[in-house]
Coordinates of all heavy atoms in Angstrom, one line a residue:
M219 N -8.8 14.8 14.1 CA -8.0 15.1 12.9 C -6.5 15.1 13.3 O -6.1 15.5 14.4 CB -8.4 16.5 12.3 CG -7.8 16.8 11.0 SD -8.8 17.9 10.1 CE -7.6 18.8 9.2
L220 N -5.7 14.7 12.3 CA -4.2 14.6 12.6 C -3.6 16.0 12.5 O -4.0 16.8 11.7 CB -3.6 13.7 11.6 CG -3.8 12.2 11.6 CD1 -3.1 11.5 10.5 CD2 -3.4 11.6 13.0
S221 N -2.6 16.2 13.3 CA -1.8 17.4 13.1 C -1.0 17.4 11.9 O -0.7 16.3 11.4 CB -1.0 17.7 14.4 OG 0.1 16.7 14.4
P222 N -0.5 18.5 11.4 CA 0.4 18.4 10.2 C 1.6 17.6 10.4 O 2.1 16.9 9.5 CB 0.7 19.9 10.0 CG -0.5 20.7 10.6 CD -0.9 19.9 11.8
I223 N 2.1 17.6 11.6 CA 3.3 16.8 11.9 C 3.0 15.3 11.9 O 3.8 14.5 11.3 CB 4.0 17.2 13.3 CG1 4.5 18.6 13.2 CG2 5.1 16.3 13.7 CD1 5.0 19.2 14.5
E224 N 1.9 14.9 12.4 CA 1.5 13.5 12.4 C 1.2 13.1 10.9 O 1.5 12.0 10.6 CB 0.2 13.3 13.2 CG 0.5 13.5 14.7 CD -0.8 13.5 15.5 OE1 -1.8 14.1 15.1 OE2 -0.8 12.8 16.6
L225 N 0.6 14.0 10.1 CA 0.3 13.6 8.7 C 1.6 13.4 8.0 O 1.8 12.5 7.2 CB -0.5 14.8 8.1 CG -0.8 14.6 6.6 CD1 -1.6 13.4 6.3 CD2 -1.5 15.8 6.1
L226 N 2.6 14.3 8.2 CA 3.9 14.1 7.6 C 4.6 12.8 8.0 O 5.2 12.1 7.2 CB 4.8 15.3 7.9 CG 4.5 16.6 7.2 CD1 5.4 17.7 7.7 CD2 4.6 16.4 5.7
G227 N 4.4 12.4 9.3 CA 4.9 11.1 9.7 C 4.3 9.9 9.0 O 5.0 9.0 8.6
V228 N 3.0 10.0 8.8 CA 2.3 8.9 8.0 C 2.8 8.9 6.6 O 3.1 7.8 6.0 CB 0.8 9.1 8.1 CG1 0.1 8.1 7.1 CG2 0.2 8.9 9.5
I229 N 2.9 10.0 6.0 CA 3.4 10.1 4.6 C 4.8 9.6 4.5 O 5.1 8.8 3.6 CB 3.2 11.6 4.0 CG1 1.8 11.9 3.9 CG2 4.0 11.7 2.7 CD1 1.5 13.4 3.6
D230 N 5.7 10.0 5.4 CA 7.0 9.5 5.4 C 7.1 8.0 5.6 O 7.9 7.3 5.0 CB 7.9 10.2 6.5 CG 8.2 11.6 6.2 OD1 8.1 12.0 5.0 OD2 8.5 12.4 7.1
D231 N 6.2 7.4 6.4 CA 6.2 6.0 6.6 C 5.8 5.3 5.3 O 6.4 4.2 5.0 CB 5.2 5.6 7.7 CG 5.3 4.2 8.2 OD1 6.5 3.7 8.2 OD2 4.3 3.6 8.5
I232 N 4.8 5.8 4.6 CA 4.4 5.2 3.3 C 5.5 5.3 2.3 O 5.8 4.4 1.6 CB 3.1 5.9 2.8 CG1 1.9 5.6 3.7 CG2 2.8 5.4 1.4 CD1 0.7 6.3 3.4
K233 N 6.3 6.4 2.3 CA 7.4 6.6 1.4 C 8.5 5.6 1.7 O 9.2 5.0 0.9 CB 7.9 8.0 1.4 CG 7.0 9.0 0.8 CD 7.6 10.4 0.9 CE 6.8 11.4 0.2 NZ 7.3 12.8 0.3
R234 N 8.7 5.3 3.0 CA 9.7 4.3 3.5 C 9.3 2.9 3.0 O 10.2 2.2 2.5 CB 9.8 4.3 5.0 CG 10.8 3.3 5.5 CD 10.7 3.2 7.1 NE 9.3 2.8 7.5 CZ 8.8 1.6 7.4 NH1 9.4 0.6 6.8 NH2 7.6 1.4 7.9
V235 N 8.0 2.6 3.0 CA 7.6 1.3 2.5 C 7.9 1.2 1.0 O 8.3 0.2 0.5 CB 6.1 1.1 2.7 CG1 5.5 -0.1 2.0 CG2 5.8 0.9 4.2
A236 N 7.6 2.3 0.3 CA 7.9 2.4 -1.2 C 9.3 2.2 -1.5 O 9.7 1.4 -2.4 CB 7.4 3.7 -1.8
E237 N 10.2 2.8 -0.7 CA 11.6 2.7 -0.9 C 12.2 1.3 -0.6 O 13.1 0.8 -1.3 CB 12.4 3.7 -0.1 CG 12.2 5.1 -0.6 CD 12.7 6.1 0.4 OE1 13.3 5.7 1.5 OE2 12.6 7.3 0.1
S238 N 11.5 0.6 0.3 CA 12.0 -0.7 0.7 C 11.3 -1.9 0.0 O 11.6 -3.0 0.2 CB 11.9 -0.9 2.2 OG 10.5 -0.9 2.6
A239 N 10.4 -1.5 -0.9 CA 9.6 -2.6 -1.6 C 10.6 -3.3 -2.6 O 11.5 -2.7 -3.1 CB 8.5 -1.9 -2.4
P240 N 10.4 -4.6 -2.7 CA 11.2 -5.4 -3.6 C 11.1 -4.9 -5.1 O 10.1 -4.2 -5.4 CB 10.7 -6.8 -3.5 CG 9.4 -6.7 -2.9 CD 9.3 -5.4 -2.2
P241 N 12.0 -5.2 -5.9 CA 11.9 -4.8 -7.3 C 10.6 -5.3 -7.9 O 10.0 -6.3 -7.5 CB 13.1 -5.4 -8.0 CG 14.0 -5.7 -6.9 CD 13.2 -5.9 -5.7
E242 N 10.1 -4.6 -8.9 CA 8.8 -4.9 -9.5 C 8.7 -6.3 -10.0 O 7.7 -7.0 -10.0 CB 8.4 -3.9 -10.6 CG 7.0 -3.9 -10.9 CD 6.6 -2.7 -11.8 OE1 7.4 -1.8 -11.9 OE2 5.5 -2.7 -12.3
D243 N 9.8 -6.8 -10.6 CA 9.8 -8.2 -11.1 C 9.5 -9.3 -10.1 O 8.8 -10.2 -10.4 CB 11.1 -8.5 -11.8 CG 11.4 -7.7 -13.0 OD1 10.4 -7.1 -13.6 OD2 12.6 -7.5 -13.4
S244 N 9.9 -9.1 -8.9 CA 9.7 -10.1 -7.8 C 8.3 -10.0 -7.3 O 7.8 -11.0 -6.7 CB 10.7 -9.9 -6.7 OG 10.5 -8.7 -6.0
V245 N 7.6 -8.9 -7.5 CA 6.2 -8.8 -7.1 C 5.3 -9.7 -7.9 O 4.3 -10.3 -7.4 CB 5.7 -7.3 -7.1 CG1 4.2 -7.2 -6.9 CG2 6.5 -6.5 -6.2
H246 N 5.6 -9.8 -9.2 CA 4.7 -10.6 -10.1 C 4.7 -12.0 -9.8 O 3.7 -12.7 -10.1 CB 5.2 -10.4 -11.6 CG 4.9 -9.0 -12.1 ND1 3.7 -8.4 -12.2 CD2 5.8 -8.0 -12.4 CE1 3.8 -7.2 -12.6 NE2 5.0 -6.9 -12.8
G247 N 5.7 -12.5 -9.1 CA 5.8 -13.9 -8.8 C 5.5 -14.3 -7.4 O 5.8 -15.4 -6.9
S248 N 4.8 -13.4 -6.7 CA 4.5 -13.7 -5.3 C 3.5 -14.8 -5.1 O 2.6 -15.0 -6.0 CB 4.1 -12.4 -4.6 OG 2.8 -12.0 -5.1
E249 N 3.6 -15.5 -4.0 CA 2.7 -16.6 -3.8 C 1.2 -16.2 -3.5 O 0.3 -17.0 -3.6 CB 3.2 -17.5 -2.6 CG 3.2 -16.8 -1.3 CD 4.3 -15.9 -1.0 OE1 5.3 -15.8 -1.7 OE2 4.3 -15.3 0.1
D250 N 1.0 -14.9 -3.1 CA -0.3 -14.5 -2.8 C -1.1 -13.9 -4.0 O -2.2 -13.4 -3.8 CB -0.3 -13.5 -1.6 CG 0.4 -12.2 -1.9 OD1 1.2 -12.2 -2.9 OD2 0.2 -11.2 -1.3
E251 N -0.5 -13.9 -5.1 CA -1.1 -13.3 -6.3 C -2.1 -14.2 -7.0 O -1.9 -15.4 -7.0 CB 0.0 -13.0 -7.3 CG -0.4 -12.1 -8.4 CD 0.7 -11.5 -9.2 OE1 1.7 -11.2 -8.6 OE2 0.6 -11.4 -10.4
D252 N -3.2 -13.7 -7.4 CA -4.2 -14.4 -8.1 C -3.6 -15.0 -9.4 O -2.6 -14.4 -9.9 CB -5.4 -13.6 -8.4 CG -6.3 -13.3 -7.2 OD1 -6.1 -14.0 -6.2 OD2 -7.2 -12.5 -7.3
Q253 N -4.2 -16.0 -10.0 CA -3.7 -16.6 -11.2 C -4.0 -15.8 -12.4 O -3.3 -16.0 -13.4 CB -4.3 -18.0 -11.3 CG -4.0 -19.0 -10.2 CD -2.5 -19.1 -10.0 OE1 -1.8 -19.3 -11.0 NE2 -2.0 -19.1 -8.8
T254 N -4.9 -14.9 -12.4 CA -5.2 -14.1 -13.6 C -4.1 -13.0 -13.8 O -3.7 -12.4 -12.8 CB -6.6 -13.4 -13.5 OG1 -6.6 -12.6 -12.3 CG2 -7.7 -14.4 -13.4
E255 N -3.7 -12.8 -15.0 CA -2.6 -11.9 -15.3 C -3.2 -10.8 -16.2 O -3.9 -11.2 -17.2 CB -1.4 -12.5 -15.9 CG -0.3 -11.6 -16.3 CD 0.4 -11.0 -15.1 OE1 0.5 -11.7 -14.0 OE2 0.8 -9.9 -15.1
N256 N -3.0 -9.6 -16.0 CA -3.4 -8.5 -16.9 C -2.2 -7.7 -17.2 O -1.2 -7.7 -16.6 CB -4.6 -7.7 -16.3 CG -4.2 -6.9 -15.1 OD1 -3.1 -6.4 -15.0 ND2 -5.1 -6.8 -14.2
N257 N -2.4 -6.9 -18.3 CA -1.3 -6.1 -18.7 C -1.5 -4.6 -18.4 O -1.1 -3.7 -19.1 CB -1.1 -6.2 -20.3 CG -0.8 -7.7 -20.6 OD1 0.0 -8.3 -19.9 ND2 -1.3 -8.2 -21.7
F258 N -2.1 -4.3 -17.3 CA -2.4 -3.0 -16.8 C -1.1 -2.3 -16.4 O -0.3 -2.8 -15.7 CB -3.3 -3.0 -15.6 CG -3.6 -1.7 -15.1 CD1 -4.5 -0.8 -15.7 CD2 -3.0 -1.3 -13.9 CE1 -4.8 0.4 -15.1 CE2 -3.3 0.0 -13.4 CZ -4.2 0.8 -14.0
E259 N -0.9 -1.1 -16.9 CA 0.2 -0.3 -16.5 C -0.2 0.6 -15.4 O -1.1 1.5 -15.6 CB 0.7 0.6 -17.7 CG 1.7 -0.1 -18.6 CD 3.0 -0.5 -17.9 OE1 3.6 0.3 -17.1 OE2 3.4 -1.6 -18.1
P260 N 0.3 0.5 -14.2 CA -0.1 1.3 -13.0 C 0.2 2.8 -13.2 O 1.2 3.1 -13.8 CB 0.6 0.7 -11.8 CG 1.7 -0.1 -12.4 CD 1.3 -0.5 -13.8
R261 N -0.6 3.6 -12.7 CA -0.4 5.1 -12.8 C 0.5 5.5 -11.7 O 0.6 4.9 -10.6 CB -1.7 5.8 -12.7 CG -2.6 5.6 -13.8 CD -3.8 6.5 -13.7 NE -4.9 5.9 -14.3 CZ -6.2 6.1 -13.9 NH1 -6.5 6.9 -13.0 NH2 -7.2 5.5 -14.5
D262 N 1.2 6.6 -11.9 CA 2.0 7.2 -10.8 C 1.0 7.7 -9.7 O -0.1 8.0 -10.0 CB 2.9 8.3 -11.3 CG 4.0 7.8 -12.1 OD1 4.4 6.6 -12.0 OD2 4.5 8.6 -13.0
Y263 N 1.5 7.8 -8.5 CA 0.7 8.3 -7.4 C 1.4 9.4 -6.7 O 2.6 9.5 -6.7 CB 0.3 7.2 -6.4 CG 1.5 6.4 -6.0 CD1 2.2 6.8 -4.9 CD2 1.9 5.3 -6.6 CE1 3.3 6.1 -4.4 CE2 3.0 4.6 -6.2 CZ 3.7 5.0 -5.1 OH 4.8 4.3 -4.7
D264 N 0.7 10.3 -6.1 CA 1.2 11.4 -5.3 C 0.8 11.3 -3.9 O -0.2 11.7 -3.5 CB 0.8 12.8 -5.9 CG 1.4 14.0 -5.2 OD1 2.3 13.8 -4.4 OD2 0.9 15.1 -5.4
I265 N 1.7 10.6 -3.1 CA 1.3 10.3 -1.7 C 1.3 11.6 -0.9 O 0.7 11.7 0.2 CB 2.2 9.3 -1.1 CG1 1.6 8.6 0.1 CG2 3.6 9.8 -0.8 CD1 0.3 7.9 -0.1
D266 N 2.0 12.7 -1.3 CA 2.0 13.9 -0.6 C 0.6 14.6 -0.6 O 0.4 15.5 0.2 CB 3.0 14.9 -1.2 CG 4.4 14.4 -1.0 OD1 4.7 13.9 0.1 OD2 5.2 14.5 -1.9
A267 N -0.3 14.1 -1.4 CA -1.7 14.7 -1.5 C -2.6 14.0 -0.5 O -3.8 14.3 -0.5 CB -2.2 14.6 -2.9
L268 N -2.1 13.1 0.3 CA -2.9 12.4 1.3 C -3.6 13.4 2.3 O -2.9 14.2 2.9 CB -2.1 11.4 2.1 CG -2.8 10.5 3.1 CD1 -3.8 9.6 2.3 CD2 -1.8 9.7 3.8
H269 N -4.9 13.3 2.4 CA -5.6 14.2 3.3 C -5.5 13.7 4.8 O -5.4 12.5 5.0 CB -7.1 14.2 2.9 CG -7.9 15.3 3.5 ND1 -8.4 15.2 4.8 CD2 -8.1 16.5 3.1 CE1 -9.0 16.3 5.1 NE2 -8.9 17.1 4.1
A270 N -5.5 14.6 5.7 CA -5.3 14.2 7.1 C -6.4 13.3 7.6 O -6.2 12.4 8.4 CB -5.3 15.5 8.0
D271 N -7.7 13.5 7.1 CA -8.7 12.6 7.5 C -8.5 11.1 7.0 O -8.9 10.2 7.7 CB -10.1 13.1 7.0 CG -10.5 14.3 7.8 OD1 -10.1 14.6 8.9 OD2 -11.4 15.1 7.2
D272 N -7.9 11.0 5.9 CA -7.6 9.7 5.3 C -6.4 9.1 6.1 O -6.4 7.8 6.3 CB -7.3 9.7 3.8 CG -8.5 10.2 3.0 OD1 -9.6 9.9 3.4 OD2 -8.3 10.8 1.9
A273 N -5.4 9.9 6.5 CA -4.3 9.4 7.2 C -4.6 8.9 8.6 O -3.9 8.1 9.2 CB -3.2 10.5 7.2
R274 N -5.7 9.3 9.1 CA -6.2 8.9 10.4 C -6.6 7.4 10.5 O -6.5 6.8 11.5 CB -7.4 9.7 10.8 CG -7.3 10.3 12.1 CD -8.5 11.2 12.4 NE -9.7 10.9 11.7 CZ -10.9 11.3 12.0 NH1 -11.0 12.2 13.0 NH2 -11.9 11.0 11.3
D275 N -7.1 6.9 9.3 CA -7.6 5.5 9.3 C -6.5 4.5 9.1 O -5.9 4.5 8.0 CB -8.6 5.5 8.1 CG -9.4 4.2 8.0 OD1 -8.9 3.2 8.6 OD2 -10.5 4.2 7.4
K276 N -6.2 3.7 10.1 CA -5.1 2.8 10.0 C -5.2 1.8 8.9 O -4.3 1.3 8.3 CB -4.9 2.2 11.4 CG -4.4 3.1 12.4 CD -4.2 2.5 13.7 CE -3.7 3.5 14.8 NZ -3.4 2.9 16.0
V277 N -6.5 1.3 8.7 CA -6.7 0.3 7.7 C -6.5 0.9 6.3 O -5.8 0.3 5.4 CB -8.1 -0.4 7.8 CG1 -8.4 -1.3 6.6 CG2 -8.2 -1.1 9.1
F278 N -7.0 2.1 6.1 CA -6.8 2.8 4.8 C -5.3 3.0 4.5 O -4.8 2.7 3.4 CB -7.6 4.1 4.8 CG -7.5 4.8 3.4 CD1 -8.1 4.3 2.3 CD2 -6.7 6.0 3.3 CE1 -8.0 5.0 1.1 CE2 -6.6 6.6 2.1 CZ -7.3 6.1 1.0
V279 N -4.6 3.4 5.5 CA -3.1 3.6 5.4 C -2.4 2.3 5.1 O -1.5 2.2 4.3 CB -2.5 4.3 6.6 CG1 -1.0 4.4 6.6 CG2 -3.1 5.8 6.7
A280 N -2.9 1.2 5.7 CA -2.3 -0.1 5.5 C -2.6 -0.5 4.0 O -1.7 -1.1 3.4 CB -2.9 -1.1 6.5
I281 N -3.7 -0.2 3.5 CA -4.1 -0.5 2.1 C -3.1 0.2 1.2 O -2.6 -0.3 0.2 CB -5.5 -0.3 1.8 CG1 -6.4 -1.3 2.6 CG2 -5.8 -0.3 0.3 CD1 -7.9 -1.0 2.5
L282 N -2.9 1.5 1.5 CA -2.0 2.3 0.7 C -0.6 1.7 0.7 O 0.1 1.7 -0.3 CB -2.0 3.8 1.2 CG -3.2 4.6 1.0 CD1 -3.1 6.0 1.6 CD2 -3.6 4.8 -0.5
K283 N -0.2 1.3 1.9 CA 1.2 0.8 2.0 C 1.3 -0.5 1.2 O 2.3 -0.8 0.5 CB 1.5 0.5 3.5 CG 1.8 1.7 4.3 CD 2.1 1.3 5.7 CE 2.3 2.5 6.6 NZ 2.5 2.1 8.0
A284 N 0.2 -1.3 1.2 CA 0.2 -2.6 0.5 C 0.2 -2.3 -1.0 O 1.0 -3.0 -1.8 CB -1.0 -3.4 0.8
L285 N -0.5 -1.3 -1.5 CA -0.5 -0.9 -2.9 C 0.9 -0.4 -3.3 O 1.4 -0.7 -4.4 CB -1.6 0.1 -3.2 CG -3.0 -0.5 -3.3 CD1 -4.0 0.7 -3.3 CD2 -3.2 -1.4 -4.5
V286 N 1.5 0.4 -2.4 CA 2.9 0.9 -2.7 C 3.8 -0.3 -2.7 O 4.7 -0.3 -3.6 CB 3.2 1.9 -1.6 CG1 4.7 2.2 -1.7 CG2 2.4 3.2 -1.8
A287 N 3.7 -1.2 -1.8 CA 4.7 -2.3 -1.8 C 4.5 -3.2 -3.0 O 5.4 -3.9 -3.5 CB 4.4 -3.2 -0.5
R288 N 3.3 -3.2 -3.6 CA 3.0 -4.0 -4.8 C 3.2 -3.1 -6.1 O 2.7 -3.5 -7.1 CB 1.6 -4.6 -4.7 CG 1.5 -5.6 -3.6 CD 0.1 -6.2 -3.5 NE -0.3 -6.9 -4.8 CZ 0.1 -8.1 -5.2 NH1 0.9 -8.8 -4.4 NH2 -0.3 -8.6 -6.3
H289 N 3.8 -2.0 -5.9 CA 4.1 -1.1 -7.0 C 2.8 -0.6 -7.7 O 2.7 -0.5 -9.0 CB 5.0 -1.7 -8.1 CG 6.3 -2.1 -7.4 ND1 7.3 -1.1 -7.2 CD2 6.8 -3.2 -7.0 CE1 8.4 -1.7 -6.7 NE2 8.1 -3.0 -6.5
N290 N 1.7 -0.4 -7.0 CA 0.5 0.1 -7.4 C -0.2 -0.8 -8.5 O -0.9 -0.3 -9.4 CB 0.6 1.6 -8.0 CG -0.6 2.4 -7.9 OD1 -1.5 2.0 -7.2 ND2 -0.7 3.4 -8.7
K291 N 0.1 -2.0 -8.4 CA -0.5 -3.0 -9.3 C -1.9 -3.4 -8.9 O -2.1 -3.5 -7.7 CB 0.4 -4.3 -9.3 CG -0.1 -5.4 -10.2 CD 0.9 -6.6 -10.1 CE 0.5 -7.7 -11.0 NZ -0.7 -8.4 -10.4
P292 N -2.8 -3.5 -9.8 CA -4.2 -3.8 -9.4 C -4.2 -5.2 -8.7 O -3.5 -6.1 -9.1 CB -4.9 -4.0 -10.8 CG -4.1 -3.2 -11.7 CD -2.7 -3.2 -11.3
S293 N -4.8 -5.2 -7.5 CA -4.8 -6.3 -6.6 C -6.2 -6.6 -6.1 O -7.0 -5.8 -5.9 CB -3.8 -6.0 -5.4 OG -2.6 -5.6 -5.9
S294 N -6.4 -7.9 -5.8 CA -7.6 -8.3 -5.2 C -7.6 -8.0 -3.7 O -6.5 -7.8 -3.2 CB -7.9 -9.8 -5.4 OG -6.9 -10.6 -4.6
P295 N -8.8 -8.0 -3.1 CA -8.8 -7.8 -1.6 C -7.9 -8.8 -0.9 O -7.3 -8.5 0.1 CB -10.2 -7.8 -1.3 CG -11.0 -7.4 -2.5 CD -10.1 -8.0 -3.6
K296 N -8.0 -10.0 -1.4 CA -7.2 -11.1 -0.8 C -5.7 -10.8 -0.9 O -5.0 -11.0 0.1 CB -7.5 -12.5 -1.4 CG -6.8 -13.6 -0.9 CD -7.1 -14.9 -1.6 CE -6.3 -16.1 -1.0 NZ -6.6 -17.3 -1.8
E297 N -5.3 -10.4 -2.0 CA -3.8 -10.1 -2.2 C -3.4 -8.9 -1.3 O -2.4 -9.0 -0.7 CB -3.6 -9.7 -3.6 CG -3.7 -10.8 -4.6 CD -3.6 -10.4 -6.1 OE1 -4.0 -9.2 -6.4 OE2 -3.3 -11.3 -6.9
L298 N -4.3 -7.9 -1.2 CA -3.9 -6.8 -0.3 C -3.9 -7.2 1.2 O -3.0 -6.8 1.9 CB -4.9 -5.6 -0.5 CG -4.9 -4.9 -1.9 CD1 -6.0 -3.9 -2.0 CD2 -3.5 -4.3 -2.1
A299 N -4.9 -8.0 1.6 CA -4.9 -8.5 3.0 C -3.7 -9.3 3.3 O -3.1 -9.2 4.4 CB -6.2 -9.3 3.2
N300 N -3.3 -10.2 2.4 CA -2.1 -11.0 2.6 C -0.9 -10.1 2.7 O 0.0 -10.4 3.6 CB -1.9 -12.0 1.4 CG -2.9 -13.2 1.5 OD1 -3.5 -13.4 2.6 ND2 -3.1 -13.8 0.4
C301 N -0.8 -9.1 1.9 CA 0.4 -8.2 1.9 C 0.4 -7.4 3.2 O 1.4 -7.3 3.8 CB 0.3 -7.3 0.7 SG 1.7 -6.1 0.6
I302 N -0.8 -7.0 3.7 CA -0.9 -6.2 4.9 C -0.4 -7.1 6.1 O 0.3 -6.6 7.0 CB -2.3 -5.7 5.1 CG1 -2.6 -4.6 4.1 CG2 -2.5 -5.2 6.5 CD1 -4.0 -4.2 4.0
M303 N -0.9 -8.3 6.1 CA -0.6 -9.2 7.3 C 0.9 -9.6 7.2 O 1.5 -9.7 8.2 CB -1.5 -10.4 7.3 CG -3.0 -10.0 7.7 SD -4.1 -11.4 7.8 CE -4.1 -12.1 6.2
K304 N 1.4 -10.0 6.0 CA 2.7 -10.4 5.8 C 3.7 -9.3 6.3 O 4.7 -9.6 6.9 CB 3.0 -10.8 4.4 CG 4.3 -11.2 4.0 CD 4.4 -11.6 2.6 CE 5.8 -11.6 2.1 NZ 5.9 -11.8 0.6
N305 N 3.4 -8.1 5.9 CA 4.4 -7.0 6.3 C 4.0 -6.3 7.6 O 4.6 -5.3 7.9 CB 4.4 -6.0 5.1 CG 5.0 -6.5 3.9 OD1 6.1 -6.9 3.8 ND2 4.2 -6.7 2.8
E306 N 2.9 -6.8 8.2 CA 2.5 -6.2 9.5 C 2.3 -4.7 9.5 O 2.7 -4.0 10.4 CB 3.5 -6.6 10.6 CG 3.6 -8.0 10.8 CD 4.7 -8.4 11.9 OE1 5.3 -7.5 12.4 OE2 4.8 -9.6 12.2
F307 N 1.5 -4.3 8.4 CA 1.2 -2.8 8.3 C 0.1 -2.4 9.3 O 0.1 -1.3 9.8 CB 0.7 -2.5 6.9 CG 1.8 -2.7 5.8 CD1 1.4 -3.1 4.6 CD2 3.1 -2.3 6.0 CE1 2.4 -3.3 3.6 CE2 4.0 -2.4 5.1 CZ 3.7 -2.9 3.8
T308 N -0.8 -3.3 9.7 CA -1.7 -3.1 10.7 C -2.3 -4.5 11.1 O -2.1 -5.5 10.4 CB -2.8 -2.1 10.3 OG1 -3.6 -1.7 11.4 CG2 -3.8 -2.7 9.3
I309 N -3.1 -4.5 12.1 CA -3.8 -5.8 12.5 C -5.2 -5.8 11.9 O -6.0 -4.8 12.1 CB -3.9 -5.9 14.0 CG1 -2.5 -5.9 14.6 CG2 -4.7 -7.1 14.4 CD1 -2.4 -5.9 16.1
L310 N -5.5 -6.8 11.1 CA -6.8 -6.9 10.5 C -7.7 -7.9 11.3 O -7.2 -8.8 11.9 CB -6.7 -7.4 9.1 CG -5.9 -6.5 8.1 CD1 -5.8 -7.2 6.8 CD2 -6.6 -5.1 8.0
G311 N -9.0 -7.8 11.3 CA -9.9 -8.8 11.8 C -10.5 -8.5 13.1 O -11.1 -9.3 13.8
Y312 N -10.4 -7.2 13.6 CA -11.0 -6.9 14.9 C -12.5 -6.6 14.7 O -12.9 -6.0 13.8 CB -10.3 -5.8 15.6 CG -9.1 -6.2 16.4 CD1 -7.9 -5.7 16.2 CD2 -9.2 -7.2 17.3 CE1 -6.8 -6.1 16.8 CE2 -8.1 -7.7 18.0 CZ -6.9 -7.1 17.8 OH -5.8 -7.5 18.5

């Protein structure tokens, strides 16, 4: 289990990704996006509620970072994997 300090480090890292994410308009035109378009309005998220057991999993944290970078837009696994690899959130495929 992560210590409280390590958990805060993971949460701060996810917040840093959110702050550095491109504007939402540029996310819609990304090359890794599926061709289907929906009009879903993403819900707000509370990253401070991240549990220490979840923060331990590097792939789960990378998925969270990808969702934050995509402004919590519904995404296919392929879109998330492309975002994770493009931004080097973690190494996939081991």
Side-chain angles (χ1 to χ4, degrees):
M219 190 153 149
L220 292 177
S221 71
I223 293 174
E224 292 171 319
L225 176 60
L226 288 176
V228 170
I229 291 171
D230 288 342
D231 193 37
I232 294 171
K233 287 180 179 179
R234 181 191 51 77
V235 169
E237 291 170 359
S238 66
E242 197 167 348
D243 293 339
S244 66
V245 172
H246 292 295
S248 67
E249 69 276 353
D250 65 339
E251 190 166 326
D252 285 346
Q253 298 302 315
T254 58
E255 180 67 35
N256 64 36
N257 296 323
F258 177 79
E259 275 299 314
R261 293 186 211 154
D262 290 334
Y263 51 87
D264 181 14
I265 200 62
D266 292 317
L268 183 64
H269 192 275
D271 289 339
D272 294 332
R274 229 174 30 164
D275 187 338
K276 291 181 182 182
V277 174
F278 183 71
V279 170
I281 291 169
L282 290 176
K283 289 179 183 179
L285 286 169
V286 166
R288 296 181 55 79
H289 300 280
N290 206 20
K291 181 178 180 284
S293 305
S294 70
K296 180 181 177 183
E297 291 169 337
L298 292 176
N300 286 340
C301 183
I302 289 168
M303 291 185 296
K304 178 180 163 186
N305 294 297
E306 299 179 354
F307 293 144
T308 193
I309 297 173
L310 299 176
Y312 279 125

